[in-house]
Amino acid sequence: MTTTLWPAKRPLDDHLCTTFASNRSALKSLPEPWLKQWPDVWLPVATWVAQQKNTLGGVPVIGIHGGQGSGKSTLSQALASLYKAALGWNCAIVSIDDLYLGHDERKALGQSIHPLLATRGVPGTHDSALGRQLFADLKQLEPGQCLTIPAFDKVSDDRLPESNWHQIVGPVDLILFEGWCVGCHAVADSQLDEPANQLEATEDPDGHWRRWVNQRLASDYADWFAMMDRLIMLKVPGMQAVLNWRGQQEVENRKHARGDHDRGLDHAGLVRFIQHYQRLTENALRDLPEHADLVLELNNQHAVNHIN
């Protein structure tokens, strides 16, 4: 198979490529810039992921990392649809966003540890223990056995009632684990001394919040992320792209809101919100390509420029 972006050092299974090519219609939900790159990018990516499953055996966990709005959820849904249509695989999608602690739980964290923890996003604001248990349960799911996965509504900024949770029936062939901080690593304390932005300078001047978050990355999140077998990185161009894309995402969130409250964000709110994520996003842009198994570099038009 000849492609213009896929690296020659990563050979692809021709039979799988042909199988997926004949099921392209399963990916009709992909955005237009990505559909245009089907033969150069997404067909080889789908083939590569399937090869990892065949190599590893069992129920592997494929992590998908990317800054906010990069397309992690879109890619996960597309891969799951393609594998179901082409191979009959049952893929479980676990979004780290769905494992956020509830609004009241984060409010309590904000009161007991640091006010910035009331805002969802950073490590420590998810139920990481539940995430680890979900992976273990999904791998062992018997035929016909049903497992529920929490669902989070971003407009109401809260976990939805159990009646609205995701359901998956076993057995599971592949777990796709997507999230903005999936795969992130802790850094040395010395790297936390200087504030990354105005939010940190004014609301975390002594660094307590960012050090607590870093400790979570070094402990329970490190254990959680160690359960991944492979990691794909959607590498965003920078924080301005994250702000632009997250703004587009906010519009979509409002269209699909299911909660009882509207805690959505205006532009000023988004600017502040993104600053909670800036340090870890920039750390990931610098360091994560060395650890990821596949890196897809996105441009400002949301297309892939390069693959490593």
Side-chain angles (χ1 to χ4, degrees):
M1 176 182 175
T2 302
T3 61
T4 57
L5 284 176
W6 189 257
K9 64 182 179 181
R10 297 179 180 274
L12 297 172
D13 183 290
D14 287 337
H15 176 70
L16 282 173
C17 284
T18 301
T19 301
F20 294 146
S22 64
N23 285 271
R24 179 178 178 176
S25 59
L27 299 184
K28 59 186 177 181
S29 62
L30 285 180
E32 187 60 30
W34 285 13
L35 284 174
K36 291 179 179 177
Q37 292 191 300
W38 159 254
D40 294 343
V41 177
W42 305 112
L43 175 57
V45 166
T47 302
W48 181 85
V49 172
Q51 288 175 192
Q52 308 314 302
K53 154 73 175 172
N54 291 338
T55 299
L56 294 164
V59 186
V61 179
I62 307 296
I64 302 177
H65 165 98
Q68 292 179 302
S70 58
K72 304 174 298 297
S73 300
T74 299
L75 176 57
S76 299
Q77 294 287 349
L79 289 175
S81 296
L82 180 64
Y83 294 149
K84 183 68 174 178
L87 303 173
W89 286 357
N90 184 26
C91 297
I93 299 174
V94 177
S95 170
I96 202 168
D97 289 356
D98 278 328
L99 298 177
Y100 282 131
L101 297 173
H103 188 268
D104 289 342
E105 291 174 286
R106 285 181 282 110
K107 184 178 179 180
L109 271 183
Q111 293 170 343
S112 64
I113 298 173
H114 194 284
L116 286 176
L117 291 171
T119 300
R120 70 177 189 267
V122 296
T125 62
H126 308 88
D127 190 338
S128 59
L130 176 58
R132 295 194 298 274
Q133 187 61 52
L134 277 175
F135 287 171
D137 292 344
L138 285 168
K139 287 173 176 281
Q140 299 170 8
L141 208 57
E142 298 290 339
Q145 186 179 6
C146 182
L147 182 69
T148 56
I149 299 175
F152 191 92
D153 180 69
K154 293 180 179 178
V155 175
S156 62
D157 192 30
D158 211 349
R159 185 174 289 181
L160 290 168
E162 288 192 31
S163 58
N164 295 113
W165 286 15
H166 312 291
Q167 292 190 340
I168 185 162
V169 177
V172 170
D173 295 289
L174 182 70
I175 299 170
L176 298 171
F177 177 39
E178 60 95 354
W180 80 273
C181 65
V182 165
C184 284
H185 294 76
V187 299
D189 277 350
S190 59
Q191 295 185 41
L192 303 172
D193 292 339
E194 293 298 320
N197 51 41
Q198 186 65 27
L199 176 83
E200 291 190 358
T202 58
E203 300 186 46
D204 187 39
D206 61 357
H208 178 64
W209 171 71
R210 51 190 183 266
R211 284 184 167 80
W212 188 87
V213 170
N214 196 55
Q215 289 169 359
R216 300 281 69 73
L217 269 181
S219 53
D220 43 331
Y221 281 70
D223 294 338
W224 189 11
F225 296 162
M227 298 179 75
M228 293 187 295
D229 297 284
R230 298 287 188 269
L231 177 63
I232 298 172
M233 180 182 191
L234 298 177
K235 188 178 180 184
V236 299
M239 289 305 299
Q240 185 58 49
V242 170
L243 176 60
N244 294 341
W245 297 345
R246 183 59 183 81
Q248 297 167 10
Q249 197 176 67
E250 188 72 14
V251 175
E252 292 301 312
N253 288 343
R254 288 184 179 279
K255 291 180 182 178
H256 304 290
R258 293 183 292 167
D260 296 328
H261 303 281
D262 185 348
R263 300 187 178 103
L265 301 170
D266 58 16
H267 180 74
L270 273 175
V271 171
R272 182 181 185 278
F273 183 65
I274 293 300
Q275 290 187 49
H276 292 78
Y277 296 74
Q278 182 175 346
R279 177 179 293 275
L280 265 66
T281 299
E282 292 179 342
N283 287 348
L285 290 174
R286 182 186 66 241
D287 301 332
L288 200 57
E290 297 181 12
H291 302 281
D293 298 285
L294 187 67
V295 180
L296 293 90
E297 297 184 11
L298 304 177
N299 60 29
N300 286 308
Q301 287 69 49
H302 234 137
V304 177
N305 269 356
H306 188 71
I307 301 175
N308 287 318

